[in-house]
Short mmCIF file of all heavy atoms in Angstrom, two decimals:
data_model
loop_
_atom_site.label_atom_id
_atom_site.label_comp_id
_atom_site.label_asym_id
_atom_site.label_seq_id
_atom_site.Cartn_x
_atom_site.Cartn_y
_atom_site.Cartn_z
N ALA A 9 35.42 24.39 -54.46
CA ALA A 9 36.48 25.43 -54.36
C ALA A 9 37.69 24.97 -55.09
O ALA A 9 38.31 25.74 -55.82
CB ALA A 9 36.77 25.77 -52.93
N ARG A 10 38.06 23.71 -54.98
CA ARG A 10 39.23 23.18 -55.67
C ARG A 10 38.94 23.21 -57.22
O ARG A 10 39.89 23.58 -58.01
CB ARG A 10 39.54 21.81 -55.18
CG ARG A 10 40.81 21.17 -55.90
CD ARG A 10 40.98 19.78 -55.41
NE ARG A 10 41.58 19.80 -54.01
CZ ARG A 10 42.89 20.03 -53.76
NH1 ARG A 10 43.77 20.26 -54.72
NH2 ARG A 10 43.22 20.01 -52.47
N ARG A 11 37.81 22.81 -57.56
CA ARG A 11 37.46 22.81 -58.98
C ARG A 11 37.49 24.26 -59.64
O ARG A 11 38.04 24.40 -60.74
CB ARG A 11 36.06 22.16 -59.25
CG ARG A 11 35.76 21.92 -60.67
CD ARG A 11 34.46 21.22 -60.77
NE ARG A 11 34.12 20.91 -62.22
CZ ARG A 11 34.61 19.84 -62.85
NH1 ARG A 11 35.44 19.04 -62.32
NH2 ARG A 11 34.19 19.75 -64.12
N ALA A 12 37.02 25.22 -58.90
CA ALA A 12 37.08 26.51 -59.35
C ALA A 12 38.53 27.06 -59.46
O ALA A 12 38.95 27.74 -60.35
CB ALA A 12 36.26 27.46 -58.45
N PHE A 13 39.35 26.67 -58.48
CA PHE A 13 40.75 27.10 -58.48
C PHE A 13 41.53 26.46 -59.66
O PHE A 13 42.35 27.09 -60.31
CB PHE A 13 41.43 26.63 -57.12
CG PHE A 13 42.88 26.80 -57.10
CD1 PHE A 13 43.47 28.07 -57.06
CD2 PHE A 13 43.76 25.70 -57.09
CE1 PHE A 13 44.89 28.20 -57.03
CE2 PHE A 13 45.10 25.87 -57.06
CZ PHE A 13 45.68 27.11 -57.03
N GLU A 14 41.31 25.16 -59.88
CA GLU A 14 41.97 24.43 -61.00
C GLU A 14 41.58 25.05 -62.34
O GLU A 14 42.34 25.10 -63.28
CB GLU A 14 41.71 23.01 -60.96
CG GLU A 14 42.35 22.29 -59.75
CD GLU A 14 41.96 20.80 -59.66
OE1 GLU A 14 41.09 20.47 -60.49
OE2 GLU A 14 42.56 20.11 -58.87
N ARG A 15 40.33 25.53 -62.46
CA ARG A 15 39.83 26.08 -63.69
C ARG A 15 40.26 27.59 -63.82
O ARG A 15 40.07 28.21 -64.95
CB ARG A 15 38.35 25.96 -63.88
CG ARG A 15 37.92 24.56 -64.05
CD ARG A 15 36.41 24.45 -64.26
NE ARG A 15 35.93 23.14 -64.64
CZ ARG A 15 34.67 22.82 -64.87
NH1 ARG A 15 33.76 23.79 -64.79
NH2 ARG A 15 34.35 21.61 -65.21
N GLY A 16 40.59 28.23 -62.70
CA GLY A 16 40.97 29.65 -62.83
C GLY A 16 39.71 30.53 -62.76
O GLY A 16 39.81 31.61 -63.32
N THR A 17 38.62 30.07 -62.21
CA THR A 17 37.34 30.87 -62.21
C THR A 17 37.20 31.46 -60.75
O THR A 17 37.62 30.87 -59.76
CB THR A 17 36.19 30.02 -62.57
OG1 THR A 17 36.09 28.87 -61.70
CG2 THR A 17 36.30 29.44 -63.99
N PRO A 18 36.54 32.57 -60.63
CA PRO A 18 36.21 33.16 -59.28
C PRO A 18 35.39 32.18 -58.49
O PRO A 18 34.58 31.37 -58.94
CB PRO A 18 35.50 34.43 -59.64
CG PRO A 18 35.78 34.70 -61.02
CD PRO A 18 35.99 33.36 -61.72
N LEU A 19 35.51 32.38 -57.14
CA LEU A 19 34.75 31.46 -56.26
C LEU A 19 33.26 31.84 -56.15
O LEU A 19 32.40 30.95 -56.07
CB LEU A 19 35.38 31.53 -54.85
CG LEU A 19 36.74 30.89 -54.68
CD1 LEU A 19 37.26 31.10 -53.21
CD2 LEU A 19 36.66 29.43 -55.02
N GLY A 20 32.95 33.16 -56.25
CA GLY A 20 31.59 33.61 -56.17
C GLY A 20 30.96 33.26 -54.77
O GLY A 20 31.53 33.64 -53.78
N TYR A 21 29.81 32.60 -54.76
CA TYR A 21 29.17 32.32 -53.52
C TYR A 21 29.92 31.33 -52.63
O TYR A 21 29.65 31.19 -51.44
CB TYR A 21 27.74 31.74 -53.80
CG TYR A 21 27.75 30.32 -54.32
CD1 TYR A 21 27.61 29.22 -53.47
CD2 TYR A 21 27.92 30.07 -55.67
CE1 TYR A 21 27.67 27.94 -53.93
CE2 TYR A 21 28.00 28.71 -56.13
CZ TYR A 21 27.85 27.68 -55.25
OH TYR A 21 27.92 26.44 -55.71
N LEU A 22 30.85 30.67 -53.28
CA LEU A 22 31.63 29.68 -52.40
C LEU A 22 32.47 30.42 -51.35
O LEU A 22 32.90 29.78 -50.35
CB LEU A 22 32.57 28.85 -53.34
CG LEU A 22 31.86 27.90 -54.24
CD1 LEU A 22 32.89 27.14 -55.18
CD2 LEU A 22 31.13 26.79 -53.43
N SER A 23 32.77 31.67 -51.58
CA SER A 23 33.58 32.44 -50.53
C SER A 23 32.86 32.45 -49.22
O SER A 23 33.40 32.22 -48.14
CB SER A 23 33.89 33.83 -51.01
OG SER A 23 34.64 33.81 -52.24
N ALA A 24 31.56 32.79 -49.26
CA ALA A 24 30.72 32.81 -48.05
C ALA A 24 30.61 31.40 -47.45
O ALA A 24 30.66 31.26 -46.21
CB ALA A 24 29.39 33.36 -48.34
N GLN A 25 30.47 30.37 -48.27
CA GLN A 25 30.37 29.01 -47.74
C GLN A 25 31.74 28.60 -47.09
O GLN A 25 31.59 27.95 -46.06
CB GLN A 25 30.07 28.05 -48.91
CG GLN A 25 28.60 28.20 -49.40
CD GLN A 25 27.54 27.78 -48.45
OE1 GLN A 25 27.85 26.83 -47.61
NE2 GLN A 25 26.47 28.45 -48.36
N LEU A 26 32.78 28.94 -47.68
CA LEU A 26 34.12 28.65 -47.01
C LEU A 26 34.24 29.34 -45.67
O LEU A 26 34.75 28.72 -44.66
CB LEU A 26 35.26 29.09 -47.98
CG LEU A 26 35.35 28.23 -49.27
CD1 LEU A 26 36.49 28.79 -50.08
CD2 LEU A 26 35.79 26.75 -48.90
N GLN A 27 33.80 30.63 -45.59
CA GLN A 27 33.89 31.30 -44.32
C GLN A 27 32.94 30.63 -43.28
O GLN A 27 33.33 30.56 -42.13
CB GLN A 27 33.46 32.77 -44.51
CG GLN A 27 34.50 33.66 -45.32
CD GLN A 27 35.72 34.00 -44.48
OE1 GLN A 27 35.78 33.63 -43.23
NE2 GLN A 27 36.62 34.76 -45.00
N GLN A 28 31.77 30.25 -43.72
CA GLN A 28 30.81 29.73 -42.76
C GLN A 28 31.26 28.39 -42.23
O GLN A 28 31.07 28.11 -41.04
CB GLN A 28 29.47 29.63 -43.44
CG GLN A 28 28.38 29.04 -42.60
CD GLN A 28 26.99 28.91 -43.30
OE1 GLN A 28 26.93 29.39 -44.47
NE2 GLN A 28 26.07 28.28 -42.71
N ARG A 29 31.80 27.49 -43.08
CA ARG A 29 32.01 26.15 -42.69
C ARG A 29 33.44 25.95 -42.16
O ARG A 29 33.70 25.03 -41.40
CB ARG A 29 31.79 25.21 -43.83
CG ARG A 29 30.31 25.23 -44.30
CD ARG A 29 30.05 24.18 -45.37
NE ARG A 29 28.69 24.24 -45.77
CZ ARG A 29 27.70 23.62 -45.12
NH1 ARG A 29 27.92 22.93 -44.08
NH2 ARG A 29 26.41 23.70 -45.56
N PHE A 30 34.40 26.71 -42.63
CA PHE A 30 35.82 26.47 -42.19
C PHE A 30 36.44 27.70 -41.60
O PHE A 30 37.63 27.58 -41.18
CB PHE A 30 36.67 26.05 -43.45
CG PHE A 30 36.06 24.90 -44.18
CD1 PHE A 30 35.43 25.12 -45.38
CD2 PHE A 30 36.13 23.62 -43.68
CE1 PHE A 30 34.89 24.06 -46.12
CE2 PHE A 30 35.55 22.57 -44.34
CZ PHE A 30 34.92 22.76 -45.63
N GLY A 31 35.79 28.84 -41.50
CA GLY A 31 36.42 30.03 -40.99
C GLY A 31 36.87 29.87 -39.53
O GLY A 31 38.01 30.36 -39.17
N ALA A 32 36.05 29.28 -38.70
CA ALA A 32 36.40 29.11 -37.27
C ALA A 32 37.55 28.12 -37.06
O ALA A 32 38.34 28.23 -36.12
CB ALA A 32 35.14 28.72 -36.52
N ALA A 33 37.65 27.04 -37.97
CA ALA A 33 38.59 25.96 -37.75
C ALA A 33 39.95 26.43 -38.32
O ALA A 33 41.00 26.11 -37.72
CB ALA A 33 38.11 24.72 -38.38
N ASP A 34 39.98 27.00 -39.49
CA ASP A 34 41.23 27.37 -40.17
C ASP A 34 41.03 28.66 -40.97
O ASP A 34 40.78 28.57 -42.22
CB ASP A 34 41.79 26.20 -40.98
CG ASP A 34 43.24 26.37 -41.42
OD1 ASP A 34 43.77 27.49 -41.35
OD2 ASP A 34 43.83 25.30 -41.74
N ALA A 35 41.09 29.77 -40.33
CA ALA A 35 40.91 31.02 -40.97
C ALA A 35 41.97 31.36 -41.98
O ALA A 35 41.70 31.91 -43.06
CB ALA A 35 40.74 32.14 -40.04
N GLY A 36 43.21 30.88 -41.74
CA GLY A 36 44.36 31.14 -42.66
C GLY A 36 44.14 30.47 -43.97
O GLY A 36 44.40 31.04 -45.03
N ALA A 37 43.72 29.16 -43.97
CA ALA A 37 43.49 28.46 -45.24
C ALA A 37 42.37 29.03 -46.06
O ALA A 37 42.50 29.18 -47.26
CB ALA A 37 43.23 27.00 -44.93
N VAL A 38 41.31 29.48 -45.34
CA VAL A 38 40.21 30.10 -46.02
C VAL A 38 40.63 31.44 -46.69
O VAL A 38 40.30 31.71 -47.84
CB VAL A 38 39.02 30.36 -45.09
CG1 VAL A 38 37.86 31.14 -45.76
CG2 VAL A 38 38.48 28.98 -44.55
#
């Protein structure tokens, strides 16, 4: 996710992975 952000590219499938792995712990950051 950081690499995609630094390059300015869309997250794509990483959005679902971020929700699955970090959504419950820090929904605001996701």
Side-chain angles (χ1 to χ4, degrees):
R10 179 180 289 278
R11 188 173 181 83
F13 170 72
E14 292 176 352
R15 290 182 173 183
T17 58
L19 290 176
Y21 73 95
L22 291 175
S23 300
Q25 290 291 326
L26 290 174
Q27 289 283 4
Q28 177 182 354
R29 297 184 180 278
F30 307 106
D34 196 338
V38 173

